[in-house]
Amino acid sequence: MATNASLLPTIPRIFFLYLEPVAITYGMMMNYASRLDIFALSSTTSETLPIPALVVPSLTASYLFSMMLYGLIILLASPPNKRLVQLHIWILIIADFTHWAGLFSTIAQNDPRGWAAVLDTSGWSLEVWNLATYPLGTLAVKFATLAGLFGEICG
């Protein structure tokens, strides 16, 4: 039986079925394994209620896991529908922008300069750089897929 994944050109199909789910899984595991200072700080900032340090990684992991499963179900268990594939990609684009919103608000909450600290990248760790730049690549693939640069989405 054909699925939505069969509508995608080869490069986006590989990206959405394999590369992005692996990257999402890596992100979920790294939230716990690396215990990034940025998450620990966000749990103790004076501007918000103190929360346990594992709440943010836990919520992040559950969100990422849900998004990953949602995407795989849309691509692998739904009958072919070009419009559904396009809408799915748009939802993933929105998720990339919300990724930045969460990251940048966490940086702003943890620095006395507030939102100005987001623009001062000199103090960013390698992990923060990774969190900030990863969506550039995923957005490029998603917009290129919608624009037909890898080939048209069939259907």
Side-chain angles (χ1 to χ4, degrees):
M1 177 177 107
T3 65
N4 277 321
S6 65
L7 301 178
L8 290 167
T10 304
I11 291 174
R13 188 179 317 150
I14 291 169
F15 174 79
F16 290 114
L17 290 178
Y18 303 105
L19 299 179
E20 192 163 49
V22 166
I24 288 171
T25 303
Y26 173 79
M28 290 186 310
M29 296 305 125
M30 288 311 295
N31 279 336
Y32 288 106
S34 64
R35 301 296 302 229
L36 296 176
D37 291 338
I38 195 167
F39 292 131
L41 289 173
S42 68
S43 70
T44 60
T45 179
S46 62
E47 296 177 21
T48 60
L49 294 173
I51 56 175
L54 284 178
V55 168
V56 174
S58 176
L59 292 173
T60 302
S62 64
Y63 166 76
L64 290 171
F65 186 67
S66 297
M67 285 297 292
M68 181 178 65
L69 288 180
Y70 154 80
L72 293 174
I73 288 168
I74 291 294
L75 293 175
L76 296 173
S78 299
N81 182 323
K82 179 180 180 177
R83 183 78 178 133
L84 180 60
V85 171
Q86 292 169 327
L87 290 173
H88 166 65
I89 294 170
W90 277 112
I91 289 170
L92 293 176
I93 288 170
I94 292 168
D96 283 343
F97 284 108
T98 60
H99 170 94
W100 277 326
L103 173 65
F104 296 150
S105 69
T106 300
I107 292 170
Q109 287 176 10
N110 290 315
D111 193 295
R113 297 172 293 166
W115 285 96
V118 172
L119 301 176
D120 181 13
T121 60
S122 63
W124 286 11
S125 66
L126 184 60
E127 293 89 358
V128 174
W129 272 107
N130 181 45
L131 289 169
T133 57
Y134 170 77
L136 293 173
T138 62
L139 279 171
V141 171
K142 293 166 189 169
F143 279 121
T145 300
L146 290 173
L149 297 179
F150 297 116
E152 188 175 338
I153 298 172
C154 301

